[in-house]
Amino acid sequence: MSAPATGGRVLIASNRGPLSFTAGAGGQLSARRGGGGLVSGLLSVAAERDVLWVCAALSDADRVAARRAPDGRLGLDGTPGGAGVRLLDIPPATFDAAYNKVANSVLWFVQHLLYSTPHEPQFGAAFQRDWDEFRRYNAAFAAALATAPGAGRAVVQDYHLSLVPRMLAELRPGIRIAHFTHTPWAPPDYFRILPDAVGREVLEGMLGADHAGFLSLRWADAFLDCCQEILGAAVDRTARQVRYRGHLTTVGVHPLGVDAAELTGRAAQPDVQERAAALAGATRGARLIVRVDRTELSKNIIRGLAAFRELLVTRPQWRGKVTHVAFAYPSRTDVPEYRAYTEDIQRLAAVINEEFGTPDWQPLMLEVFDDFARSLAAYVLADVLLVNPIRDGMNLVAKEAPILSRHGCAVVLSAEAGAADELGSEALLVNPYDISATAEALHAALVMPDAERVRRCQELARVSAAMPPRRWFDGQLAALEPPGEPDPVPAADPVPA
Ligand code: G6P
């Protein structure tokens, strides 16, 4: 049984951690911040608390850093032997199978409904071997968390670590465990694509936690449905609780938002200003439809480009007057489907520019080189933001751009993004599969009267800032308080209207 062990040090576990190392020619290591929204959100939390962050070495340079540091311990700034980070030196073959083959090629595909089912997936002996490695990788995290001194609470992040809560609860009875899912959750009929034993193991693994958090009520409800239908667990929908094999897991919704002050401060830096000037110069006064994504199949970039093409066909008045700025940054390039997807995007972009471009006007500016400052510059200048994922846990781009937009941007948003829960009333919602509807929504966004666009954008910005990472994290910790303590869900930040 879990003891009420709150206060004091908190353990965080995530695959990607706050440090990313590169090795110089002489073997010297330099550390920089790990990438991605999950890391930047958690970093602001880790900097202020007594935290030990357990994460995997992702590259060879990370592995060298883990071996050089005593027991893989580093400061948050990368100092060997510091407190704050424990970098796990997981064997490369185990890491590759767990991260690339299982987490990103199977679990990600299931939760985002990405399979073309006549052909894939095919679960044979190779998958069973990969699954064994996934178990080993989760066990390495559980062992590191179980032996970390002085902590009564662990907050475990995402689908990579879905087996950790049960493993950790067995190794260290009494520790309070939260698990947080940053992806959507598939409905039972789709979740059943996983081999039966694997699907059960994932659910049972997560139910080792005392609290399971999600970004949207839709995903939380789908998880409850899976627990009931697949495990036969006792689910109380009203209280959002699951009882399974004598253990109670509460299920909560924690809709992560943006730290508006931090983002605005970053956008005021000279590098962003320079890029905004360069982008304004390059697009020569055209209206801007902006999208910023990591190149993940779930982001639906191909249909987004097709919708822009259809806009130029059905609404030819926009030719020469609108530029689509599409940033599609590399992601998970070890997974073949991702590499092929980037090539498809580049090919389609070239076709559109070939078809409609003139000596004075480039319809589409596609950039695949990651530049955070340039992304912020595009948010500042956007007239329309296009966010059309097939499915997305939240999508923070939809929350960031309205906060930075200089003239108020209209947001065309997939109804399948978690962000649609909060932004749906002021964004223009689209079915992400419907290219024609997306093209029409882009047109509606472009012709929206200025005053309406500004008003909607202000409201979108206000809502987006309501749950900055610190508050989001505190909500998960509060949910680990023993029953009878004050209301665990903190109120949203007061945001100036
Ligand atoms: C996005 C997803 C998260 C995921 C993260 C990992 O932020 O929303 O669910 O944990 O990517 O990305 P990575 O680059 O580490 O594979």
Side-chain angles (χ1 to χ4, degrees), residues 308-496:
F308 177 63
R309 183 186 175 279
E310 191 156 315
L311 174 77
L312 298 180
V313 172
T314 57
R315 305 282 182 174
Q317 65 268 36
W318 292 118
R319 293 186 196 177
K321 300 206 171 62
V322 173
T323 297
H324 187 12
V325 174
F327 296 157
Y329 298 145
S331 172
R332 303 178 191 161
T333 45
D334 288 335
V335 181
E337 285 94 335
Y338 281 61
R339 291 198 299 272
Y341 192 58
T342 300
E343 285 163 19
D344 290 347
I345 290 165
Q346 287 172 314
R347 212 172 299 121
L348 180 55
V351 166
I352 293 172
N353 276 331
E354 177 70 23
E355 188 177 359
F356 298 99
T358 67
D360 302 324
W361 174 59
Q362 184 183 337
L364 182 54
M365 290 176 58
L366 172 71
E367 298 287 353
V368 298
F369 172 71
D370 195 340
D371 182 343
F372 183 59
R374 192 186 51 201
S375 302
L376 300 188
Y379 294 161
V380 170
L381 298 179
D383 295 290
V384 177
L385 180 78
L386 174 59
V387 179
N388 68 324
I390 289 172
R391 232 166 128 79
D392 214 330
M394 172 57 73
N395 196 297
L396 287 177
V397 169
K399 290 187 165 181
E400 289 167 346
I403 290 171
L404 292 188
S405 164
R406 191 182 286 163
H407 305 295
C409 65
V411 176
V412 175
L413 176 63
S414 166
E416 304 306 312
D421 292 359
E422 297 156 274
L423 307 184
S425 61
E426 302 301 341
L428 304 178
L429 290 186
V430 291
N431 170 343
Y433 300 93
D434 191 338
I435 289 166
S436 300
T438 306
E440 270 309 284
L442 290 174
H443 174 69
L446 286 166
V447 297
M448 189 183 283
D450 289 350
E452 180 183 349
R453 214 184 52 245
V454 169
R455 181 194 61 70
R456 285 185 187 239
C457 185
Q458 283 171 347
E459 181 58 14
L460 291 168
R462 193 184 68 76
V463 173
S464 298
M467 184 75 79
R470 221 170 294 118
R471 189 165 289 277
W472 165 81
F473 192 77
D474 285 347
Q476 293 171 70
L477 288 184
L480 290 180
E481 296 291 328
E485 294 294 315
D487 181 3
V489 182
D493 262 359
V495 182

Side-chain angles (χ1 to χ4, degrees), residues 16 38 99 104 108 158-160 182-183 294 332:
R16 187 178 290 277
L38 185 153
Y99 176 67
N104 289 338
W108 181 272
D158 234 352
Y159 55 101
H160 318 87
H182 292 261
T183 63
R294 303 203 311 168
R332 303 178 191 161

